Amino acid sequence: MSPGSKRTPATAALLVMAVAAPARADTAAEKLATTTSGYGELGADISTRELAISRTDTEADLSGYLRIRGDALYNLDLDRGLTPSGNALFPVPAADPSAQTLTLVDSRLRTDVAIYPPGSGVAVKVRVDVLDNLAWGTATAGELATGQPAAGAISDNASRRTFRVKRAYGEALIPVGLLAAGRIGAQWGLGMVANGGDCPDCDGGDAADRIALVTPLFDHLVAVSYDFAATGPVRQRRDGARAIDFEPTDDIRTLTVAALHYHTPLARARLLAAGRAAFEYGALFSHSHQENDVPAAYLPAAAPIAVDPAQIVARGFATTAVDGWLRLALPLLRIEAEVAYVTATVDEPSLIPGVDVDQSITSRQLGIALESDLHSPGGQISGGVDGGYASGDPAPGFGAFPVPGQRPPQPGDVDGPQAALPGDTTVDNFRFDSDYHIDRILFREIIGTVTDAVYVRPHARATLLQTGHARVTFGVAAIASWAAEAQSTPGGDRFLGVEIDPTLGLYTRDGFSAVLESAVLIPGPAFDNHAANLTAQVAQLWRVRLGYWF
């Protein structure tokens, strides 16, 4: 602690729970890969610094990576023709729709900055992603070799991805625990529901405009957070520098209470090195609500619509989620699981102001994820079996990414809204966070996320070569999956298929990694096109990922 600083018993207990052995990961890549965004990690680095040294100057820690990623995708439309809505399962080349291969290279420069003022338990943290998943050849200088702007080459989406501040928040140790406020990374458990996007191959990452208090209680951490989930529409104030939320009743606010028994990664490693078990668990309760809605603020329109009292819809939306997580780690074994149950109601589903619908929309969703790893002594070989379940809805399509106002899907479609009024008033398909990856083609690319499905995933990994400077590993996973509701699939069958995902990786202590990934999807009859008498064909993927870590 700094000279003269004082801590109450509650704050001191938080310090002790957060601090672990003074060790570090073997490589910079491994160090960053263990970074997460959950309640348990808030303030852990402040605690370590305060117990270790007395600081008189402002300090800053800089970490991150440059990721270069190239994909080659072969036959991801499965050669099974179009859906009844006239769409392919996956984009095909515009000039030659019968062509099979699509390629793309993208990159991301991620920088995490933590600033520590002198002599206090305070930190300010920022995450900035530059060229975030931006395809090479887009938004470079906005010009082709001719010097003329490329028509359509720079989209609004591309310009937004050039520079993105994803997190900016502060942490402070106070007498009753730790107070954090700002745009904070959101992570819980395995990341099945809330995922901070910290993995080396993650595409997005959840964040919340949040105020959170975390305090130790009876050898647990208890967290209470209040999220500003959605605000708007807004208008500029007279000076044009700030906005004002002129319709507060359409805001969505979320209250979350969580309790967990948690070890930091270093504390967990310390227990395992001593031959002891590390048992961790947590439970979370979250509730969101919205009184009114203004569809004119987000639905597409030919011309802007003035927001006035006539545009208000009495929405009556409420959702409640409960989530349980546990992890048992032994020197040679890890078993981790997460279970979530979500209910929701929408009293007024109408998107047209003044048009009332006398049917409410309800939702009951269940998600389960299980992971296991069994290691040989020394960790040279490991393997295990993962599994998961996401409840389904009998409506056509998986309902992975429905769009407000979209027409109901037809039997044979791959996606679409799961409620269709009048008559169908339920939306029961659970959706995993899209950064929780279990495969490379079926759920990640074709469907977009795990939903309306059951899967089993055996996997194995071995170190082929290890020197003092680098190691080479090989791993393989096999994913067999079935639809929870056969009516959801384009082919009306439960069996989705089997995917084989091998990986070859090189990792150095200097912070460089090179990973070669492949995937082969053998689709099941769930993707056959009976109307066109076409059977779904094999799809393949190759990916090269280079990482430069600091």
Side-chain angles (χ1 to χ4, degrees):
M1 292 186 185
S2 303
S5 64
K6 296 181 179 180
R7 293 287 177 258
T8 64
T11 303
L14 184 64
L15 293 173
V16 173
M17 293 179 67
V19 174
R24 55 185 295 135
D26 288 341
T27 68
E30 290 173 339
K31 177 183 177 183
L32 192 64
T34 62
T35 301
T36 53
S37 316
Y39 293 111
E41 288 81 12
L42 290 176
D45 52 344
I46 302 177
S47 306
T48 304
R49 286 173 170 269
E50 286 231 322
L51 290 184
I53 58 175
S54 297
R55 293 180 288 110
T56 59
D57 298 320
T58 297
E59 297 180 357
D61 279 355
L62 180 68
S63 62
Y65 60 81
L66 172 65
R67 181 184 70 192
I68 310 297
R69 183 171 56 180
D71 289 348
L73 313 174
Y74 176 82
N75 193 38
L76 264 64
D77 71 325
L78 306 182
D79 274 349
R80 49 89 63 207
L82 303 179
T83 68
S85 295
N87 302 314
L89 295 188
F90 197 82
V92 296
D96 182 9
S98 65
Q100 298 293 307
T101 304
L102 296 172
T103 60
L104 184 74
V105 178
D106 63 22
S107 59
R108 167 195 281 165
L109 173 61
R110 167 161 292 176
T111 303
D112 285 310
V113 182
I115 303 170
Y116 305 93
S120 66
V122 173
V124 175
K125 299 178 180 179
V126 178
R127 168 170 289 183
V128 178
D129 285 350
V130 182
L131 304 178
D132 188 25
N133 297 326
L134 195 63
W136 280 18
T138 64
T140 51
E143 297 179 350
L144 296 176
T146 60
Q148 298 299 318
I154 302 178
S155 66
D156 180 56
N157 184 55
S159 63
R160 288 199 306 267
R161 290 180 178 273
T162 302
F163 186 91
R164 304 179 71 179
V165 179
K166 289 192 171 179
R167 301 177 187 174
Y169 62 99
E171 300 174 341
L173 289 170
I174 61 175
V176 293
L178 181 127
L179 181 66
R183 181 155 295 183
I184 303 174
Q187 172 83 24
W188 174 261
L190 285 169
M192 178 185 70
V193 177
N195 195 305
D198 297 305
C199 70
D201 197 35
C202 284
D203 295 316
D206 296 331
D209 291 330
R210 170 176 294 174
I211 300 173
L213 175 66
V214 184
T215 187
L217 184 66
F218 302 117
D219 199 32
H220 289 68
L221 292 179
V222 177
V224 179
S225 66
Y226 187 77
D227 294 357
F228 293 73
T231 299
V234 298
R235 288 177 180 168
Q236 294 296 316
R237 300 190 186 187
R238 285 192 177 275
D239 61 3
R242 299 177 63 199
I244 184 70
D245 177 16
F246 65 90
E247 183 45 59
T249 64
D250 80 325
D251 299 342
I252 300 178
R253 300 290 183 254
T254 301
L255 177 66
T256 301
V257 179
L260 64 159
H261 180 68
Y262 169 81
H263 299 296
T264 66
L266 293 177
R268 191 180 312 117
R270 187 178 182 179
L271 288 170
L272 299 182
R276 299 172 57 187
F279 182 58
E280 304 163 84
Y281 54 85
L284 177 147
F285 171 87
S286 183
H287 179 76
S288 302
H289 68 277
Q290 180 188 33
E291 180 182 351
N292 294 324
D293 194 11
V294 185
Y298 56 82
L299 290 179
I305 300 175
V307 177
D308 54 33
Q311 298 299 323
I312 304 297
V313 173
R315 182 66 66 213
F317 163 76
T319 181
T320 300
V322 292
D323 190 302
W325 160 79
L326 63 85
R327 173 167 54 207
L328 173 63
L330 300 171
L332 301 179
L333 176 66
R334 176 186 68 94
I335 299 176
E336 193 166 356
E338 183 178 354
V339 179
Y341 182 70
V342 182
T343 64
T345 59
V346 178
D347 293 336
E348 176 53 76
S350 173
L351 293 176
I352 304 175
V355 177
D356 294 331
V357 176
D358 60 358
Q359 291 181 299
S360 298
I361 300 293
T362 62
S363 179
R364 292 177 176 83
Q365 305 172 10
L366 176 65
I368 303 171
L370 172 68
E371 295 182 3
S372 66
D373 283 296
L374 179 63
H375 301 268
S376 66
Q380 300 298 307
I381 301 175
S382 65
V385 178
D386 302 341
Y389 168 78
S391 61
D393 189 285
F398 288 96
F401 299 101
V403 178
Q406 182 181 4
R407 292 182 178 180
Q410 305 176 52
D413 285 339
V414 72
D415 207 350
Q418 298 297 281
L421 299 176
D424 186 355
T425 61
T426 61
V427 181
D428 292 337
N429 64 302
F430 185 95
R431 293 182 294 175
F432 280 29
D433 191 285
S434 56
D435 270 325
Y436 186 77
H437 302 152
I438 69 162
D439 66 1
R440 294 170 185 158
I441 297 180
L442 176 58
F443 291 109
R444 186 170 182 182
E445 299 288 352
I446 296 177
I447 298 176
T449 189
V450 178
T451 185
D452 200 334
V454 181
Y455 68 88
V456 178
R457 183 182 181 270
H459 57 89
R461 186 170 180 263
T463 298
L464 302 181
L465 175 66
Q466 183 155 6
T467 67
H469 178 74
R471 71 181 188 277
V472 177
T473 66
F474 176 78
V476 64
I479 305 94
S481 54
W482 299 262
E485 299 282 350
Q487 303 96 309
S488 299
T489 69
D493 191 277
R494 288 186 182 273
F495 185 50
L496 299 174
V498 174
E499 181 172 324
I500 309 297
D501 294 350
T503 304
L504 182 66
L506 167 68
Y507 307 89
T508 75
R509 290 184 180 271
D510 297 331
F512 173 73
S513 63
V515 180
L516 174 62
E517 299 175 337
S518 180
V520 176
L521 170 65
I522 305 171
F527 292 99
D528 291 346
N529 188 337
H530 299 298
N533 198 27
L534 294 173
T535 301
Q537 302 299 307
V538 172
Q540 300 179 58
L541 175 148
W542 295 269
R543 175 177 295 128
V544 176
R545 179 160 41 87
L546 303 179
Y548 303 84
W549 307 77
F550 58 90

